[in-house]
Amino acid sequence: MAVAVSLLSCGADTAMKKGDKFFALGEYNDAVTYYKKAYTQTSTKDRPLRGQRALKMAECYRRINQTQRAIASLNNAVRYKQADTTALLHLGQLQLRNGAYKDAEKTFLQLKDSGMTNPLLAVGLQSARMAPQWKAEAEYSGYTVKKQELFNSRRAEYSPALAGDDSDQLYFSSTRNQANGDELSGITGMKNADIFFSQKDDKGKWSKPELIESELNTVDDEGACTFSSDFKTMYLTVCKTDPSYPRYAQIATSKRSDASWSKATVLDISHDTLSTFAHPCVSPDGMWLYFVSDMPGGMGGYDLWRAELSESGIISIENAGATINTAGDEMFPTFRPNGDLYFSSNGHPGFGGLDIYIVRSEELGAKSEDASQQLLTPHSSLLTPEHPGWPLNSAGDDFGMTFEGLHNRGYFSSNRGDGRGWDHIYSFEKYEVVQTVKGWVYEQDGYELPQALVHMVGNDGTNKKISVRGDGSFVEEIKPGVDYIFLGTCKGFLNHKEELRVEPVLESEEYVLQFPLASITAPVLIDNIFYDFDKATLRPESEEALDKLITLLNENPNVTIELSAHTDNRGSDAYNQRLSQRRAESVVNYLIAHGIAADRLSPVGYGEGKPKTIRRKLTEKYDWLKADDVLTEEFINALEDDEKKEICHQLNRRTEFIVLRTTYGMFDAEGKLKEQPAKTARQEETQQQDDLW
């Protein structure tokens, strides 16, 4: 019998050594296998040793989110009187995560009576006492949550990220069987995560998720991805496998070319090689990269940090401050497009595990001359993160938000109700009345201008520069009762201004604005100009188009133009030239009569001398024409169809303008740039809000 006991002891010791080796590498799933073996081979009479090995098991189960097993192991450690205050704190936190709030309160009170002063104890006790009440108030939270079976598998899915101008692409991380590689992770017991993708069709139906087939995914861990505002750069977390060294997560980037993502390249954030860098997200203005790290200088376990971005790379790094970070873990930051910051934490009062918290954009950006970094300083009391309540939060881990445009709906991940602690994807929606403006910036008589920039100014202090999407569009939230001015700009084009004011509504509504920009280098058609037959007299229905031209010239006061009129090739050259000259002068006279300076306008009649050159946009309407066709007499006569010939004559009969100068009124008689008198603060404000530029 003594020999058998000795052999069991040797086997247990060997198992413990193997378990300790895996634990040191962070491979908790493999470690707990050996710890469990050692525990079962340890005599029940050796109570201290059995309790110590139960603690080892509990820590592994805790780290891989197997909550019930971790609680059972910690209870064994308590029974064998080997649980110290740290173990009891973990037990209380796990009881919170399991929804056992009465048990958690009892554990935390025991720790409080022992004299423990850990700040997480006070948070845990408050959570245990308040969570039942918060859950009872769920109807006031306004959230609807639903598990999304299409995206979920029998393994883990987490950190969904919507992409595309219409939020019609969903990326997420998964350890499902389709992930690369054959080996199982020593950390989780599942495959290493890869990034998967789903596409929404025109009917709003999502496709079956597929693995991204490119160099982006490898046999290592790839996950928690996010995107730049133009969706051309992906930021993600990568974790390389090393059988002899602990693995530290790193942040990497991938570039999109057409529909393919490049191999991930590690982003050089810090020279610190012993800390974790994970869970990236880019602020809506593109200026900051928020991320998670346990680097020195933090306030607890994992903290939120942010790095200032520039074209040349990262400029500086700073901690997100004590109003966000705690003695616990803050993780998975993400931004709603309106600027609200969402993150998950187990260091603020909540239901248990990781709960989602919100810092509103107006609080996040709150600064003053005396405290320009209040939010980001360790002793700030500027704000308290908002807890959105049940059912968005639960007793489990809730994290990884992504939003569908400006609306308060989208997807997130949670391990609620999963006994294995595996994460799955859920949808969420909270009803809100959101008023938005959607603008389209495009070349007048041409295509969208993805290089355009829109300035948005409101009399409530709003002042934004908005980069448009690839299709020339933008979407911004607007507030009722605010006077907004939008100025569409693009290099090589004249500006275009729109004004908007909306009143409160009961349902979400989107308002559409058009920004047709006139080219500085190419002739611009003035559509819908009508003259009396064979005369230069403007017909009344021309006034709408001419009034738009007046507005354009007023919005661009430093521009001079040539106003040209053209005829078809029927009639004599001399007659056509005289008629077109008189028509150009009629338009100019109208503009002068409505306040445009005469020396900004040059009327020219070209008659039939400059037949129209077809631009690509017009070929969409007339598919028998090609871009760069010139509607000369020879071209028209070669057409066999009389209707097509008449269309060509109509296209040749046109009124256009072309920009001559963009410096009108900027120089004095000697050719020197005029000095502009300094404006008062009130004048600056008035010009910005009323005249814009």
Side-chain angles (χ1 to χ4, degrees):
M1 180 61 116
V3 173
V5 170
S6 177
L7 289 174
L8 281 174
S9 177
C10 290
D13 290 342
T14 300
M16 285 300 298
K17 289 179 181 178
K18 289 182 178 179
D20 288 342
K21 181 180 178 181
F22 284 116
F23 189 93
L25 294 174
E27 297 181 349
Y28 307 113
N29 185 77
D30 287 350
V32 78
T33 302
Y34 288 99
Y35 289 150
K36 184 178 180 180
K37 181 179 180 181
Y39 178 81
T40 58
Q41 292 180 350
T42 303
S43 171
T44 55
K45 294 181 180 180
D46 195 347
R47 296 175 65 84
L49 187 59
R50 196 169 171 87
Q52 292 166 14
R53 290 174 176 175
L55 279 177
K56 289 275 192 174
M57 292 169 55
E59 186 60 14
C60 290
Y61 285 133
R62 186 179 76 88
R63 294 194 182 217
I64 59 177
N65 286 334
Q66 293 194 19
T67 301
Q68 293 179 352
R69 291 182 177 182
I71 291 174
S73 297
L74 280 171
N75 282 333
N76 283 334
V78 170
R79 182 160 56 95
Y80 292 125
K81 298 182 179 180
Q82 295 299 308
D84 58 12
T85 54
T86 299
L88 287 175
L89 179 63
H90 288 163
L91 176 59
Q93 292 171 332
L94 288 163
Q95 289 166 335
L96 284 178
R97 183 181 290 183
N98 204 37
Y101 297 121
K102 289 292 184 182
D103 292 342
E105 182 180 9
K106 182 179 178 181
T107 301
F108 290 134
L109 284 173
Q110 180 182 344
L111 282 170
K112 184 178 180 181
D113 292 341
S114 73
M116 187 180 191
T117 58
N118 190 315
L120 293 177
L121 170 58
V123 170
L125 186 57
Q126 182 182 356
S127 299
R129 288 171 169 171
M130 296 301 297
Q133 178 182 335
W134 293 334
K135 192 170 182 179
E137 296 172 349
E139 61 182 289
Y140 302 111
S141 77
Y143 283 94
T144 300
V145 169
K146 184 178 180 181
K147 193 173 183 179
Q148 295 296 301
E149 299 299 342
L150 175 64
F151 304 135
N152 295 317
S153 69
R154 289 187 288 180
R155 295 295 185 266
E157 290 80 29
Y158 61 94
S159 292
L162 286 164
D165 292 340
D166 298 316
S167 298
D168 57 356
Q169 303 164 28
L170 184 72
Y171 294 78
F172 61 90
S173 303
S174 178
T175 60
R176 63 187 62 193
N177 292 335
Q178 291 77 16
N180 285 311
D182 298 320
E183 296 185 4
L184 301 182
S185 167
I187 301 175
T188 64
M190 297 179 284
K191 281 189 172 184
N192 288 327
D194 276 340
I195 297 176
F196 287 75
F197 167 83
S198 179
Q199 177 75 49
K200 185 188 289 185
D201 63 20
D202 294 339
K203 297 180 180 178
K205 183 179 180 181
W206 289 103
S207 65
K208 183 179 179 181
E210 296 181 0
L211 178 71
I212 294 179
E213 298 287 354
S214 73
E215 293 182 304
L216 173 68
N217 285 317
T218 68
V219 295
D220 295 318
D221 256 313
E222 290 87 24
C225 66
T226 189
F227 301 92
S228 59
S229 59
D230 59 4
F231 304 113
K232 293 181 179 179
T233 301
M234 176 191 294
Y235 295 83
L236 67 155
T237 306
V238 297
C239 194
K240 304 294 184 183
T241 300
D242 190 328
S244 60
Y245 196 77
R247 294 185 291 175
Y248 296 97
Q250 297 174 295
I251 293 173
T253 60
S254 173
K255 301 293 184 180
R256 180 169 59 86
S257 176
D258 294 327
S260 180
W261 290 99
S262 69
K263 182 178 180 180
T265 302
V266 173
L267 183 64
D268 186 16
I269 294 178
S270 168
H271 298 301
D272 181 354
T273 59
L274 299 177
S275 299
T276 288
F277 297 88
H279 308 165
C281 86
V282 182
S283 61
D285 59 12
M287 294 178 59
W288 298 94
L289 177 71
Y290 282 71
F291 61 93
V292 171
S293 181
D294 58 355
M295 73 173 84
M299 299 170 194
Y302 291 102
D303 275 14
L304 295 195
W305 298 73
R306 71 175 191 172
E308 187 175 0
L309 297 174
S310 71
E311 292 183 0
S312 58
I314 289 174
I315 299 175
S316 61
I317 301 174
E318 55 195 18
N319 189 276
T323 54
I324 288 177
N325 292 316
T326 67
D329 295 325
E330 281 68 46
M331 310 171 80
F332 298 100
T334 189
F335 278 93
R336 189 175 170 184
N338 66 3
D340 293 346
L341 172 66
Y342 287 68
F343 66 96
S344 294
S345 171
N346 58 19
H348 292 281
F351 288 115
L354 291 171
D355 271 19
I356 294 167
Y357 296 86
I358 310 168
V359 179
R360 299 297 178 186
S361 58
E362 57 270 19
E363 296 174 320
L364 189 65
K367 294 182 179 180
S368 67
E369 294 182 2
D370 296 329
S372 61
Q373 295 294 323
Q374 284 185 16
L375 175 63
L376 303 169
T377 54
H379 303 292
S380 171
S381 58
L382 181 62
L383 56 93
T384 299
E386 175 185 333
H387 187 272
W390 182 280
L392 187 64
N393 285 315
S394 69
D397 290 331
D398 306 291
F399 62 96
M401 305 281 286
T402 186
F403 291 87
E404 182 184 331
L406 292 168
H407 297 279
N408 198 352
R409 62 174 179 254
Y411 301 93
F412 73 109
S413 38
S414 176
N415 63 7
R416 64 185 67 187
D418 192 295
R420 300 158 299 184
W422 294 352
D423 305 308
H424 301 289
I425 293 175
Y426 290 76
S427 65
F428 72 91
E429 182 170 7
K430 182 178 181 180
Y431 177 76
E432 290 181 355
V433 175
V434 180
Q435 292 176 271
T436 58
V437 57
K438 185 167 189 177
W440 301 88
V441 187
Y442 53 93
E443 181 181 2
Q444 195 167 318
D445 305 319
Y447 291 94
E448 61 273 0
L449 294 171
Q451 301 83 18
L453 190 69
V454 177
H455 300 263
M456 175 182 177
V457 174
N459 63 357
D460 64 341
T462 299
N463 194 337
K464 292 183 178 181
K465 292 182 180 179
I466 307 167
S467 297
V468 302
R469 301 165 174 172
D471 62 354
S473 70
F474 69 90
V475 178
E476 282 290 327
E477 185 175 1
I478 53 176
K479 302 296 183 183
V482 178
D483 295 317
Y484 291 101
I485 295 176
F486 298 86
L487 187 76
T489 67
C490 188
K491 185 177 181 180
F493 295 85
L494 300 182
N495 298 336
H496 180 87
K497 183 175 73 174
E498 290 287 340
E499 299 180 15
L500 183 65
R501 176 188 174 95
V502 299
E503 300 305 324
V505 293
L506 298 177
E507 298 287 339
S508 295
E509 190 166 345
E510 185 173 78
Y511 307 86
V512 177
L513 297 178
Q514 304 284 346
F515 296 83
L517 303 190
S519 173
I520 291 176
T521 58
V524 179
L525 177 68
I526 309 173
D527 208 2
N528 296 322
I529 298 294
F530 305 100
Y531 306 91
D532 287 339
F533 177 71
D534 209 25
K535 296 181 180 179
T537 307
L538 285 166
R539 294 170 61 179
E541 53 264 42
S542 303
E543 292 184 3
E544 182 178 352
L546 291 174
D547 289 343
K548 289 182 179 179
L549 178 57
I550 291 169
T551 300
L552 177 67
L553 291 170
N554 285 329
E555 291 173 354
N556 297 271
N558 300 119
V559 165
T560 64
I561 64 170
E562 174 188 282
L563 197 294
S564 60
H566 304 261
T567 66
D568 58 36
N569 59 21
R570 293 176 290 193
S572 70
D573 292 352
Y575 175 82
N576 285 336
Q577 195 282 326
R578 288 194 302 271
L579 178 62
S580 63
Q581 181 66 34
R582 288 188 289 119
R583 287 180 169 178
E585 290 172 355
S586 292
V587 174
V588 165
N589 290 335
Y590 183 93
L591 300 178
I592 293 172
H594 289 77
I596 303 300
D599 57 351
R600 296 180 61 194
L601 308 169
S602 300
V604 179
Y606 285 101
E608 61 187 83
K610 284 192 174 184
K612 185 174 181 64
T613 299
I614 299 301
R615 302 185 66 184
R616 185 163 61 97
K617 182 69 174 178
L618 200 56
T619 64
E620 296 177 3
K621 184 176 181 180
Y622 305 111
D623 57 6
W624 45 275
L625 291 172
K626 297 178 181 178
D628 298 324
D629 280 348
V630 182
L631 304 186
T632 61
E633 186 173 358
E634 292 76 17
F635 180 92
I636 296 173
N637 290 338
L639 296 172
E640 297 180 357
D641 190 317
D642 288 340
E643 183 178 350
K644 292 179 180 179
K645 290 181 180 181
E646 183 55 36
I647 290 173
C648 290
H649 289 310
Q650 291 174 3
L651 292 174
N652 272 334
R653 297 192 298 269
R654 67 198 189 278
T655 304
E656 296 176 333
F657 74 84
I658 188 169
V659 174
L660 299 176
R661 286 194 300 145
T662 58
T663 58
Y664 175 81
M666 296 175 62
F667 297 91
D668 60 22
E670 297 179 357
K672 296 180 180 180
L673 186 65
K674 293 180 179 178
E675 292 186 9
Q676 300 296 320
K679 296 183 177 67
T680 65
R682 178 58 183 165
Q683 287 174 326
E684 289 282 4
E685 181 182 0
T686 300
Q687 179 173 345
Q688 184 182 65
Q689 294 180 351
D690 297 339
D691 299 329
L692 201 61
W693 284 274

